[in-house]
């Protein structure tokens, strides 16, 4: 009969296999990107570095978890041994000690470790899929469109305020200081003051009717005071508040310009449909930065 492998050996084999599988997938992705496509290869290398770092971190956490589990088992064994000795002293006889029991605390640790491992695997698989998925393809299209204008994406956090943060960033590059809170407040106030321009576009999904006055007021309050996501209506209000056109660059649709009646340089935003797990997202732009080309290998 073969000798059972100890947990340390099993973990080493498992981690070695995961590294090998990841490298195979990475190599396949590299082969799919032409060497002369420097932008795609640069993005690919950044994604690969992130995946490798995440896998290394996952393996380190697994090793720490294993050490913690071993320490817990040793403590349980010691406790069981002390209990057995006490019984021997009381009864005056030798009590045969069975296999060490798994404590409730250890069971909780094992369950938590298993769930964490499953979560990390799902994240790694999702990131690999993103290298060739809709998010990645959308990013490539946008990069090409922006590069034609000597621009590139300037990342904005995905926290519900992305539209306003992107506008704030654009205004900041012009030396104008208008924060997210003020932009939201002024947007909501403009909508209240011009309700007839916005109410026809707000429909109650349950009744199919146009918003009532109370529903509209609640909507405006959310614009002003919460992280409610902004869209076309808020963009329209912002152009009026700023007296400036806003252009929105998209991957799969023509660039749109709102507020063309204002004869000033537009605020430029990037709309991404597949940016994050939550979906739609706005980013800002900045001047394209020259990056050194990759060495041909």
């Amino acid at each position: 009969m073969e000798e059972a492998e100890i947990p340390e050996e099993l973990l080493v084999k498992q981690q070695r296999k995961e590294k090998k599988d990841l490298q195979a997938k990475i190599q396949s992705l590299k082969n799919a990107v032409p060497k002369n496509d420097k932008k795609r290869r640069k993005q690919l290398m950044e994604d690969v570095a992130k995946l490798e770092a995440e896998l290394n971190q996952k393996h380190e956490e697994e090793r720490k978890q294993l050490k913690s589990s071993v320490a817990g088992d040793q403590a349980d064994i010691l406790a069981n041994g002390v209990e057995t000795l006490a019984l021997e002293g009381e009864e005056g006889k030798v009590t045969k000690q069975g296999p060490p029991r798994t404590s409730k605390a250890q069971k909780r640790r094992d369950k938590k470790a298993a769930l964490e491992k499953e979560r990390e695997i799902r994240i790694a698989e999702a990131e690999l899929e993103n290298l060739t998925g809709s998010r990645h393809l959308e990013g490539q299209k946008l990069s090409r469109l922006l590069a034609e204008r000597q621009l590139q994406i300037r990342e904005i956090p995905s926290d519900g305020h992305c539209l306003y943060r992107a506008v704030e960033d654009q205004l900041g590059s012009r030396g104008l200081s208008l924060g997210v809170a003020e932009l939201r407040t002024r947007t909501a106030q403009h909508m209240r003051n011009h309700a007839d321009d916005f109410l026809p576009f707000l429909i109650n999904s349950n009744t199919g009717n146009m918003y009532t006055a109370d529903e509209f007021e609640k909507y405006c309050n959310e614009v002003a005071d919460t992280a409610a996501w902004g869209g076309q209506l808020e963009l329209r209000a912002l152009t009026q508040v700023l007296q400036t056109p806003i252009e929105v660059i998209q991957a799969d649709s023509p660039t749109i310009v709102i507020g063309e009646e204002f004869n000033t340089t537009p605020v430029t935003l990037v709309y991404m449909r597949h940016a994050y797990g939550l979906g739609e997202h706005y980013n800002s732009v900045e001047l394209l930065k020259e990056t050194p080309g990759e060495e041909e290998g």
Side-chain angles (χ1 to χ4, degrees):
M1 180 181 294
E2 294 183 1
E3 184 178 353
E5 292 181 292
I6 61 175
E8 291 88 344
E9 294 173 342
L10 289 171
L11 181 61
V12 169
K13 286 187 176 181
Q14 172 191 307
Q15 292 186 347
R16 186 181 297 127
K17 183 179 184 301
E18 289 176 353
K19 284 186 176 181
K20 184 177 179 181
D21 291 344
L22 179 60
Q23 289 303 318
K25 291 181 180 179
I26 288 173
Q27 188 58 50
S28 176
L29 291 169
K30 286 182 177 179
N31 293 337
V33 179
K35 291 184 178 180
N36 58 358
D37 192 336
K38 295 180 180 178
K39 291 188 182 297
R40 287 181 61 189
R41 289 188 70 83
K42 179 176 181 292
Q43 180 64 48
L44 174 63
M45 296 309 295
E46 290 175 355
D47 291 336
V48 165
K50 180 180 178 181
L51 288 174
E52 290 177 334
E54 289 176 347
L55 185 61
N56 288 336
Q57 181 180 358
K58 170 180 173 291
H59 287 177
E60 179 63 26
E61 290 175 355
E62 288 175 344
R63 288 190 288 270
K64 289 180 180 179
Q65 184 67 40
L66 179 61
K67 290 180 181 178
S68 175
S69 298
V70 171
D73 289 342
Q74 291 175 342
D76 290 339
I77 292 171
L78 179 59
N80 289 336
V82 171
E83 181 180 354
T84 300
L85 289 174
L87 289 172
E88 290 173 351
E90 291 176 3
E91 299 177 7
K93 61 180 180 181
V94 176
T95 302
K96 183 178 180 182
Q97 183 178 347
R101 294 172 297 174
T102 302
S103 68
K104 291 182 179 180
Q106 182 57 41
K107 288 180 179 178
R108 288 195 297 269
R109 287 194 293 268
D110 291 343
K111 182 177 180 181
K112 182 179 178 181
L115 291 173
E116 182 65 20
K117 177 183 175 183
E118 182 181 351
R119 187 182 74 87
E120 293 292 344
I121 291 174
R122 288 200 305 267
I123 291 174
E125 290 175 346
E127 289 294 342
L128 281 171
E129 182 180 352
N130 280 338
L131 293 178
T132 54
S134 55
R135 173 186 172 187
H136 187 64
L137 295 176
E138 180 181 47
Q140 289 179 330
K141 290 180 182 179
L142 286 170
S143 294
R144 288 195 294 269
L145 288 172
L146 292 171
E148 292 173 0
R149 299 174 54 175
Q150 295 300 301
L151 296 173
Q152 65 183 24
I153 289 175
R154 181 174 174 84
E155 295 286 347
I156 297 297
S158 178
D159 59 1
H161 300 294
C162 60
L163 170 60
Y164 304 94
R165 291 196 190 283
V167 171
E168 176 189 30
D169 180 74
Q170 285 283 292
L171 296 176
S173 67
R174 304 180 186 191
L176 301 176
S177 179
L178 277 177
V180 169
E182 184 174 358
L183 287 170
R184 278 187 170 277
T185 298
R186 292 174 63 177
T187 297
Q189 192 57 48
H190 177 84
M191 295 177 75
R192 290 190 186 99
N193 293 341
H194 301 82
D196 291 343
D197 294 335
F198 298 96
L199 263 175
F201 302 97
L202 291 168
I203 304 298
N204 185 311
S205 59
N206 294 322
T207 65
N209 298 324
M210 188 173 71
Y211 269 22
T212 64
D214 288 343
E215 288 172 332
F216 182 65
E217 180 60 24
K218 180 182 177 183
Y219 183 93
C220 292
N221 288 339
E222 290 176 349
V223 170
D225 303 324
T226 73
W229 190 86
Q232 289 285 335
L233 296 182
E234 289 74 20
L235 282 168
R236 166 58 65 181
L238 278 166
T239 63
Q240 301 297 317
V241 167
L242 301 172
Q243 298 286 286
T244 301
I246 297 177
E247 67 170 336
V248 182
I249 299 174
Q250 309 169 82
D252 298 317
S253 302
T255 296
I256 62 173
V257 180
I258 304 170
E260 291 182 284
E261 63 269 26
F262 301 113
N263 189 25
T264 56
T265 303
V267 165
T268 301
L269 308 180
V270 174
Y271 172 73
M272 304 184 73
R273 189 177 300 276
H274 308 289
Y276 297 99
L278 296 177
E280 300 166 333
H281 179 68
Y282 285 96
N283 276 318
S284 182
V285 299
E286 60 187 357
L287 291 177
L288 182 64
K289 298 176 182 177
E290 294 296 332
T291 55
E294 280 188 68
E295 293 183 5
E296 298 294 330

